[in-house]
Amino acid sequence: MIHNLIIENDSFILHPTGAVFWEKESKLLISDIHLGKVSHFRKFGMAIPRKVIYKNFKLLRDTLDYFKPKQVIFLGDLFHSSLNLEWALFEGFVNESGTSFVLVMGNHDIISRDKYQKIGVQIFDKLIFDKFLFTHYPQEEDNYFNFAGHIHPAIRLKGKGKQSLKLPCFFKKKNQMILPAFGEFTGSHVLKKTSKVDLYAIADEMVIKI
């Protein structure tokens, strides 16, 4: 179940994958997918099922099929490491997708910009559309609403019986939203809710305001 949200008088859709869709501009925002991470850790002997690799790409395809965006903006950490076999999968995905792709560079994006540009992915350090600022690291600039990633935000919910549940979430302040990590095998960081923060948790394929 998606969650509709108005930000700066524009309509956005929060999706259970962690993606955000900007309806007016038909732009899909995705952060911290960390492609290549599974192959990187498998290379060094970690027993991660190979099928996790393909789950990321299926998730991408299913999300694009749902929204059919004109453009996908990756908010950094698209590829976790140096080149490995997942690059070929990503290249094939880009070629068959029928949409355009933009990467706002993150701290893990160490692959040459030329490699991305050769397959048609545009590269930026930050990006501004209208009144919105798109970055990897959360930052604030006057007169802009910032969409960012990097943190992998989550919330911890506690029950009366000392139960504890950690859920990824969209972390929204007045002029900023931090997206949860999109990819499998990415981890998360618990952030505290305050009166100045709205949290939208992801649970059982639903986005729920906390």
Side-chain angles (χ1 to χ4, degrees), residues 11-49:
S11 178
F12 291 83
I13 297 173
L14 312 186
H15 191 266
T17 58
V20 174
F21 185 61
W22 185 4
E23 289 194 273
K24 184 182 76 174
E25 297 294 333
S26 189
K27 295 182 187 295
L28 184 66
L29 313 180
I30 292 174
S31 187
D32 297 275
I33 189 168
H34 287 270
L35 298 176
K37 185 174 184 179
V38 174
S39 295
H40 177 76
F41 279 90
R42 281 174 56 88
K43 178 180 177 181
F44 290 97
M46 188 172 288
I48 306 167

Side-chain angles (χ1 to χ4, degrees), residues 32-44 46 48-50 52-57 60 77-91 108-111 116 183-186:
D32 297 275
I33 189 168
H34 287 270
L35 298 176
K37 185 174 184 179
V38 174
S39 295
H40 177 76
F41 279 90
R42 281 174 56 88
K43 178 180 177 181
F44 290 97
M46 188 172 288
I48 306 167
R50 188 183 182 90
V52 176
I53 295 171
Y54 302 99
K55 285 182 71 175
N56 278 335
F57 287 96
L60 269 174
D77 288 1
L78 169 56
F79 214 87
H80 179 80
S81 60
S82 55
L83 288 173
N84 58 37
L85 65 86
E86 291 182 50
W87 178 263
L89 295 174
F90 177 66
E91 186 172 353
H108 278 281
D109 293 308
I110 61 174
I111 294 173
Y116 286 107
E184 295 278 338
F185 195 63
T186 53

Side-chain angles (χ1 to χ4, degrees), residues 177-193:
M177 175 177 281
I178 305 174
L179 276 64
F182 184 91
E184 295 278 338
F185 195 63
T186 53
S188 59
H189 179 68
V190 174
L191 299 178
K192 292 183 179 180
K193 187 179 186 329

Side-chain angles (χ1 to χ4, degrees), residues 118-175:
K118 283 180 181 178
I119 63 172
V121 178
Q122 301 176 69
I123 304 293
F124 297 91
D125 293 313
K126 68 178 182 179
L127 197 58
I128 293 175
F129 284 115
D130 196 6
K131 48 192 173 276
F132 299 103
L133 169 67
F134 303 93
T135 61
H136 177 61
Y137 297 102
Q139 66 183 66
E140 297 182 12
E141 289 191 19
D142 291 341
N143 303 317
Y144 292 106
F145 185 95
N146 175 223
F147 286 97
H150 184 62
I151 305 295
H152 302 200
I155 182 173
R156 189 175 300 280
L157 302 177
K158 297 181 180 180
K160 293 182 179 179
K162 296 186 178 179
Q163 309 98 319
S164 178
L165 179 64
K166 185 168 76 167
L167 299 173
C169 69
F170 300 88
F171 187 87
K172 181 181 178 294
K173 298 191 291 186
K174 180 180 178 181
N175 293 313

